[in-house]
Amino acid sequence: MSRHFYGTELTSPLMLGTAQYPSPEILGDAVRAAQPGVVTVSLRRESAGERAGQAFWSLIKDLGVPVLPNTAGCHTVKEAVTTAHMAREVFGTDWVKLEVIGELDTLQPDVFGLVEAARILSDDGFKVFPYTTEDLVVAERLLAAGCEVLMPWGAPIGSGKGLNNIFGLRALRAHFPDVPLVVDAGIGVPSHATQALELGYDAVLINTAVAKAGDPAIMAEAFRLAVQAGALARKADPMEERDMAVPSTPLIGKAMLA
């Protein structure tokens, strides 16, 4: 398990989204409680309104957490590439979380457009973090397009359903043992994040589960502890599952009653 992404080591395997919080103050409290390795920011959302984006960007800079801009809300390759270039100018980073949405009900990525946009941005010097599915063929195409990180979904964005396809996520981890992998989307509670780290994923990205909690700061702290537990469990090399019971108390040396 590694926290190195494009040569940069993150301080935490927790990535935190910054959308949907009730207020900037609550967002700040949540970020401080989560102590994330990076926060994600949508240029399209935060640049809207009457100079609201500038106030938001000032808040993020004051928190002192590395920023991963994203292309949330983009549905075409052109739209995503244009947004990524704007984000590089605004946030001063060549990192970008690439989203090209293809289906409105599930917000499933358009994997064909995603690969095309990833190739264009990689050629333009971007370090691309693609929001994708757990499909192995798509993963191969993204890596060939220049991506060094993959961000498969756990479940549809904002659904809170957790890790819907454990087999697929486990297969992706096994097939690409040296590629940094981040479970992105669908995580609803801290135990989902722990499970992702136990599977060997390098990080998780959380947004709605924290922002929409009754107390975002407390939930953010819970996720901070959850990813620590998952990472430690993975490092400890967990026991394998068994189909039959095995007694935890040995029979040798145990008194036998007639």
Side-chain angles (χ1 to χ4, degrees), residues 134 136 140 166-179 181 199-201 234:
E134 67 277 22
L136 296 177
E140 292 276 14
I166 296 294
F167 172 82
L169 291 172
R170 186 175 281 132
L172 190 69
R173 176 71 288 173
H175 199 73
F176 302 103
D178 300 321
V179 175
L181 300 178
L199 287 175
Y201 278 69
R234 178 70 178 188

PDB file of all heavy atoms in Angstrom, residues 134 136 140 166-179 181 199-201 234:
ATOM      1  N   GLU A 134     -14.766  -0.214 -12.262  1.00  0.00           N
ATOM      2  CA  GLU A 134     -13.780  -1.215 -11.874  1.00  0.00           C
ATOM      3  C   GLU A 134     -13.414  -2.146 -13.032  1.00  0.00           C
ATOM      4  O   GLU A 134     -12.754  -3.165 -12.834  1.00  0.00           O
ATOM      5  CB  GLU A 134     -14.286  -2.035 -10.673  1.00  0.00           C
ATOM      6  CG  GLU A 134     -15.477  -2.925 -10.944  1.00  0.00           C
ATOM      7  CD  GLU A 134     -16.807  -2.207 -10.864  1.00  0.00           C
ATOM      8  OE1 GLU A 134     -16.848  -0.964 -10.999  1.00  0.00           O
ATOM      9  OE2 GLU A 134     -17.826  -2.889 -10.662  1.00  0.00           O
ATOM     10  N   LEU A 136     -11.533  -3.917 -15.859  1.00  0.00           N
ATOM     11  CA  LEU A 136     -10.101  -4.115 -16.077  1.00  0.00           C
ATOM     12  C   LEU A 136      -9.635  -3.601 -17.436  1.00  0.00           C
ATOM     13  O   LEU A 136      -8.526  -3.068 -17.555  1.00  0.00           O
ATOM     14  CB  LEU A 136      -9.753  -5.600 -15.945  1.00  0.00           C
ATOM     15  CG  LEU A 136      -9.972  -6.235 -14.569  1.00  0.00           C
ATOM     16  CD1 LEU A 136      -9.636  -7.726 -14.631  1.00  0.00           C
ATOM     17  CD2 LEU A 136      -9.141  -5.549 -13.506  1.00  0.00           C
ATOM     18  N   GLU A 140      -6.817  -0.686 -18.182  1.00  0.00           N
ATOM     19  CA  GLU A 140      -5.662  -0.820 -19.083  1.00  0.00           C
ATOM     20  C   GLU A 140      -5.580   0.354 -20.047  1.00  0.00           C
ATOM     21  O   GLU A 140      -4.499   0.903 -20.298  1.00  0.00           O
ATOM     22  CB  GLU A 140      -5.767  -2.128 -19.875  1.00  0.00           C
ATOM     23  CG  GLU A 140      -5.602  -3.393 -19.039  1.00  0.00           C
ATOM     24  CD  GLU A 140      -4.147  -3.769 -18.830  1.00  0.00           C
ATOM     25  OE1 GLU A 140      -3.268  -2.927 -19.092  1.00  0.00           O
ATOM     26  OE2 GLU A 140      -3.907  -4.913 -18.395  1.00  0.00           O
ATOM     27  N   ILE A 166     -17.450  -6.050  -4.710  1.00  0.00           N
ATOM     28  CA  ILE A 166     -16.222  -6.436  -4.012  1.00  0.00           C
ATOM     29  C   ILE A 166     -15.319  -7.270  -4.926  1.00  0.00           C
ATOM     30  O   ILE A 166     -14.105  -7.080  -4.969  1.00  0.00           O
ATOM     31  CB  ILE A 166     -16.549  -7.229  -2.731  1.00  0.00           C
ATOM     32  CG1 ILE A 166     -17.315  -6.334  -1.736  1.00  0.00           C
ATOM     33  CG2 ILE A 166     -15.277  -7.749  -2.091  1.00  0.00           C
ATOM     34  CD1 ILE A 166     -16.518  -5.191  -1.191  1.00  0.00           C
ATOM     35  N   PHE A 167     -15.938  -8.199  -5.674  1.00  0.00           N
ATOM     36  CA  PHE A 167     -15.142  -9.033  -6.580  1.00  0.00           C
ATOM     37  C   PHE A 167     -14.383  -8.170  -7.584  1.00  0.00           C
ATOM     38  O   PHE A 167     -13.186  -8.363  -7.817  1.00  0.00           O
ATOM     39  CB  PHE A 167     -16.037 -10.021  -7.319  1.00  0.00           C
ATOM     40  CG  PHE A 167     -15.318 -10.779  -8.400  1.00  0.00           C
ATOM     41  CD1 PHE A 167     -14.546 -11.891  -8.094  1.00  0.00           C
ATOM     42  CD2 PHE A 167     -15.391 -10.368  -9.729  1.00  0.00           C
ATOM     43  CE1 PHE A 167     -13.861 -12.582  -9.089  1.00  0.00           C
ATOM     44  CE2 PHE A 167     -14.708 -11.055 -10.732  1.00  0.00           C
ATOM     45  CZ  PHE A 167     -13.941 -12.158 -10.400  1.00  0.00           C
ATOM     46  N   GLY A 168     -15.077  -7.219  -8.197  1.00  0.00           N
ATOM     47  CA  GLY A 168     -14.440  -6.376  -9.196  1.00  0.00           C
ATOM     48  C   GLY A 168     -13.336  -5.519  -8.612  1.00  0.00           C
ATOM     49  O   GLY A 168     -12.267  -5.352  -9.216  1.00  0.00           O
ATOM     50  N   LEU A 169     -13.564  -4.951  -7.434  1.00  0.00           N
ATOM     51  CA  LEU A 169     -12.552  -4.107  -6.800  1.00  0.00           C
ATOM     52  C   LEU A 169     -11.343  -4.935  -6.374  1.00  0.00           C
ATOM     53  O   LEU A 169     -10.194  -4.498  -6.511  1.00  0.00           O
ATOM     54  CB  LEU A 169     -13.158  -3.392  -5.591  1.00  0.00           C
ATOM     55  CG  LEU A 169     -14.209  -2.319  -5.918  1.00  0.00           C
ATOM     56  CD1 LEU A 169     -14.874  -1.829  -4.636  1.00  0.00           C
ATOM     57  CD2 LEU A 169     -13.587  -1.146  -6.673  1.00  0.00           C
ATOM     58  N   ARG A 170     -11.604  -6.142  -5.874  1.00  0.00           N
ATOM     59  CA  ARG A 170     -10.496  -7.015  -5.485  1.00  0.00           C
ATOM     60  C   ARG A 170      -9.695  -7.451  -6.724  1.00  0.00           C
ATOM     61  O   ARG A 170      -8.459  -7.503  -6.686  1.00  0.00           O
ATOM     62  CB  ARG A 170     -11.050  -8.223  -4.726  1.00  0.00           C
ATOM     63  CG  ARG A 170      -9.968  -9.128  -4.144  1.00  0.00           C
ATOM     64  CD  ARG A 170     -10.584 -10.226  -3.297  1.00  0.00           C
ATOM     65  NE  ARG A 170     -10.964  -9.725  -1.975  1.00  0.00           N
ATOM     66  CZ  ARG A 170     -12.138  -9.938  -1.403  1.00  0.00           C
ATOM     67  NH1 ARG A 170     -13.079 -10.613  -2.045  1.00  0.00           N
ATOM     68  NH2 ARG A 170     -12.390  -9.471  -0.189  1.00  0.00           N
ATOM     69  N   ALA A 171     -10.388  -7.738  -7.814  1.00  0.00           N
ATOM     70  CA  ALA A 171      -9.704  -8.129  -9.042  1.00  0.00           C
ATOM     71  C   ALA A 171      -8.855  -6.986  -9.586  1.00  0.00           C
ATOM     72  O   ALA A 171      -7.734  -7.200 -10.076  1.00  0.00           O
ATOM     73  CB  ALA A 171     -10.730  -8.566 -10.089  1.00  0.00           C
ATOM     74  N   LEU A 172      -9.367  -5.765  -9.502  1.00  0.00           N
ATOM     75  CA  LEU A 172      -8.613  -4.599  -9.968  1.00  0.00           C
ATOM     76  C   LEU A 172      -7.336  -4.429  -9.151  1.00  0.00           C
ATOM     77  O   LEU A 172      -6.259  -4.178  -9.700  1.00  0.00           O
ATOM     78  CB  LEU A 172      -9.487  -3.349  -9.876  1.00  0.00           C
ATOM     79  CG  LEU A 172      -8.944  -2.085 -10.546  1.00  0.00           C
ATOM     80  CD1 LEU A 172      -8.930  -2.234 -12.058  1.00  0.00           C
ATOM     81  CD2 LEU A 172      -9.795  -0.871 -10.149  1.00  0.00           C
ATOM     82  N   ARG A 173      -7.448  -4.597  -7.838  1.00  0.00           N
ATOM     83  CA  ARG A 173      -6.274  -4.483  -6.973  1.00  0.00           C
ATOM     84  C   ARG A 173      -5.240  -5.560  -7.306  1.00  0.00           C
ATOM     85  O   ARG A 173      -4.029  -5.296  -7.367  1.00  0.00           O
ATOM     86  CB  ARG A 173      -6.697  -4.592  -5.529  1.00  0.00           C
ATOM     87  CG  ARG A 173      -5.581  -4.583  -4.488  1.00  0.00           C
ATOM     88  CD  ARG A 173      -4.907  -3.226  -4.313  1.00  0.00           C
ATOM     89  NE  ARG A 173      -4.048  -2.819  -5.412  1.00  0.00           N
ATOM     90  CZ  ARG A 173      -3.477  -1.623  -5.508  1.00  0.00           C
ATOM     91  NH1 ARG A 173      -3.692  -0.711  -4.562  1.00  0.00           N
ATOM     92  NH2 ARG A 173      -2.698  -1.325  -6.516  1.00  0.00           N
ATOM     93  N   ALA A 174      -5.720  -6.782  -7.525  1.00  0.00           N
ATOM     94  CA  ALA A 174      -4.807  -7.880  -7.823  1.00  0.00           C
ATOM     95  C   ALA A 174      -4.158  -7.718  -9.194  1.00  0.00           C
ATOM     96  O   ALA A 174      -2.990  -8.058  -9.385  1.00  0.00           O
ATOM     97  CB  ALA A 174      -5.555  -9.212  -7.750  1.00  0.00           C
ATOM     98  N   HIS A 175      -4.911  -7.188 -10.161  1.00  0.00           N
ATOM     99  CA  HIS A 175      -4.415  -7.066 -11.536  1.00  0.00           C
ATOM    100  C   HIS A 175      -3.393  -5.945 -11.674  1.00  0.00           C
ATOM    101  O   HIS A 175      -2.502  -6.009 -12.523  1.00  0.00           O
ATOM    102  CB  HIS A 175      -5.593  -6.818 -12.471  1.00  0.00           C
ATOM    103  CG  HIS A 175      -5.309  -7.122 -13.910  1.00  0.00           C
ATOM    104  ND1 HIS A 175      -5.200  -8.401 -14.384  1.00  0.00           N
ATOM    105  CD2 HIS A 175      -5.088  -6.304 -14.977  1.00  0.00           C
ATOM    106  CE1 HIS A 175      -4.944  -8.371 -15.685  1.00  0.00           C
ATOM    107  NE2 HIS A 175      -4.858  -7.115 -16.064  1.00  0.00           N
ATOM    108  N   PHE A 176      -3.520  -4.927 -10.834  1.00  0.00           N
ATOM    109  CA  PHE A 176      -2.606  -3.776 -10.905  1.00  0.00           C
ATOM    110  C   PHE A 176      -1.986  -3.534  -9.527  1.00  0.00           C
ATOM    111  O   PHE A 176      -2.294  -2.530  -8.866  1.00  0.00           O
ATOM    112  CB  PHE A 176      -3.350  -2.528 -11.382  1.00  0.00           C
ATOM    113  CG  PHE A 176      -3.998  -2.683 -12.724  1.00  0.00           C
ATOM    114  CD1 PHE A 176      -5.367  -2.878 -12.829  1.00  0.00           C
ATOM    115  CD2 PHE A 176      -3.244  -2.649 -13.881  1.00  0.00           C
ATOM    116  CE1 PHE A 176      -5.971  -3.014 -14.067  1.00  0.00           C
ATOM    117  CE2 PHE A 176      -3.836  -2.796 -15.128  1.00  0.00           C
ATOM    118  CZ  PHE A 176      -5.204  -2.992 -15.221  1.00  0.00           C
ATOM    119  N   PRO A 177      -1.121  -4.421  -9.074  1.00  0.00           N
ATOM    120  CA  PRO A 177      -0.595  -4.329  -7.708  1.00  0.00           C
ATOM    121  C   PRO A 177       0.249  -3.096  -7.438  1.00  0.00           C
ATOM    122  O   PRO A 177       0.380  -2.675  -6.283  1.00  0.00           O
ATOM    123  CB  PRO A 177       0.240  -5.610  -7.566  1.00  0.00           C
ATOM    124  CG  PRO A 177       0.610  -5.976  -8.967  1.00  0.00           C
ATOM    125  CD  PRO A 177      -0.561  -5.579  -9.805  1.00  0.00           C
ATOM    126  N   ASP A 178       0.813  -2.502  -8.480  1.00  0.00           N
ATOM    127  CA  ASP A 178       1.722  -1.367  -8.279  1.00  0.00           C
ATOM    128  C   ASP A 178       1.102  -0.017  -8.653  1.00  0.00           C
ATOM    129  O   ASP A 178       1.784   1.011  -8.589  1.00  0.00           O
ATOM    130  CB  ASP A 178       2.996  -1.578  -9.101  1.00  0.00           C
ATOM    131  CG  ASP A 178       3.737  -2.844  -8.692  1.00  0.00           C
ATOM    132  OD1 ASP A 178       3.780  -3.128  -7.478  1.00  0.00           O
ATOM    133  OD2 ASP A 178       4.256  -3.541  -9.581  1.00  0.00           O
ATOM    134  N   VAL A 179      -0.164  -0.020  -9.041  1.00  0.00           N
ATOM    135  CA  VAL A 179      -0.835   1.221  -9.426  1.00  0.00           C
ATOM    136  C   VAL A 179      -1.605   1.773  -8.230  1.00  0.00           C
ATOM    137  O   VAL A 179      -2.384   1.052  -7.611  1.00  0.00           O
ATOM    138  CB  VAL A 179      -1.818   0.976 -10.596  1.00  0.00           C
ATOM    139  CG1 VAL A 179      -2.598   2.247 -10.920  1.00  0.00           C
ATOM    140  CG2 VAL A 179      -1.063   0.490 -11.822  1.00  0.00           C
ATOM    141  N   LEU A 181      -4.501   3.072  -6.254  1.00  0.00           N
ATOM    142  CA  LEU A 181      -5.937   2.956  -6.474  1.00  0.00           C
ATOM    143  C   LEU A 181      -6.703   3.664  -5.371  1.00  0.00           C
ATOM    144  O   LEU A 181      -6.374   3.516  -4.189  1.00  0.00           O
ATOM    145  CB  LEU A 181      -6.361   1.482  -6.519  1.00  0.00           C
ATOM    146  CG  LEU A 181      -5.736   0.591  -7.590  1.00  0.00           C
ATOM    147  CD1 LEU A 181      -6.252  -0.835  -7.447  1.00  0.00           C
ATOM    148  CD2 LEU A 181      -6.030   1.130  -8.984  1.00  0.00           C
ATOM    149  N   LEU A 199      -9.005  -3.964   1.641  1.00  0.00           N
ATOM    150  CA  LEU A 199      -8.853  -4.622   0.343  1.00  0.00           C
ATOM    151  C   LEU A 199      -7.531  -4.276  -0.330  1.00  0.00           C
ATOM    152  O   LEU A 199      -7.177  -4.870  -1.354  1.00  0.00           O
ATOM    153  CB  LEU A 199      -9.997  -4.217  -0.591  1.00  0.00           C
ATOM    154  CG  LEU A 199     -11.375  -4.804  -0.308  1.00  0.00           C
ATOM    155  CD1 LEU A 199     -12.408  -4.218  -1.251  1.00  0.00           C
ATOM    156  CD2 LEU A 199     -11.357  -6.322  -0.429  1.00  0.00           C
ATOM    157  N   GLY A 200      -6.820  -3.317   0.236  1.00  0.00           N
ATOM    158  CA  GLY A 200      -5.535  -2.933  -0.331  1.00  0.00           C
ATOM    159  C   GLY A 200      -5.559  -1.655  -1.138  1.00  0.00           C
ATOM    160  O   GLY A 200      -4.567  -1.314  -1.791  1.00  0.00           O
ATOM    161  N   TYR A 201      -6.686  -0.937  -1.096  1.00  0.00           N
ATOM    162  CA  TYR A 201      -6.735   0.335  -1.816  1.00  0.00           C
ATOM    163  C   TYR A 201      -5.911   1.368  -1.061  1.00  0.00           C
ATOM    164  O   TYR A 201      -5.762   1.315   0.157  1.00  0.00           O
ATOM    165  CB  TYR A 201      -8.189   0.775  -2.019  1.00  0.00           C
ATOM    166  CG  TYR A 201      -8.782   0.076  -3.227  1.00  0.00           C
ATOM    167  CD1 TYR A 201      -9.041  -1.285  -3.206  1.00  0.00           C
ATOM    168  CD2 TYR A 201      -8.992   0.749  -4.422  1.00  0.00           C
ATOM    169  CE1 TYR A 201      -9.511  -1.951  -4.326  1.00  0.00           C
ATOM    170  CE2 TYR A 201      -9.469   0.102  -5.543  1.00  0.00           C
ATOM    171  CZ  TYR A 201      -9.723  -1.250  -5.494  1.00  0.00           C
ATOM    172  OH  TYR A 201     -10.169  -1.898  -6.607  1.00  0.00           O
ATOM    173  N   ARG A 234      -4.700  -3.897   6.957  1.00  0.00           N
ATOM    174  CA  ARG A 234      -4.063  -4.409   5.742  1.00  0.00           C
ATOM    175  C   ARG A 234      -2.588  -4.710   5.991  1.00  0.00           C
ATOM    176  O   ARG A 234      -2.072  -5.756   5.573  1.00  0.00           O
ATOM    177  CB  ARG A 234      -4.213  -3.389   4.614  1.00  0.00           C
ATOM    178  CG  ARG A 234      -3.540  -3.798   3.305  1.00  0.00           C
ATOM    179  CD  ARG A 234      -4.253  -4.956   2.639  1.00  0.00           C
ATOM    180  NE  ARG A 234      -3.635  -5.315   1.367  1.00  0.00           N
ATOM    181  CZ  ARG A 234      -4.130  -6.188   0.511  1.00  0.00           C
ATOM    182  NH1 ARG A 234      -5.271  -6.797   0.788  1.00  0.00           N
ATOM    183  NH2 ARG A 234      -3.507  -6.459  -0.622  1.00  0.00           N
TER     184      ARG A 234
END
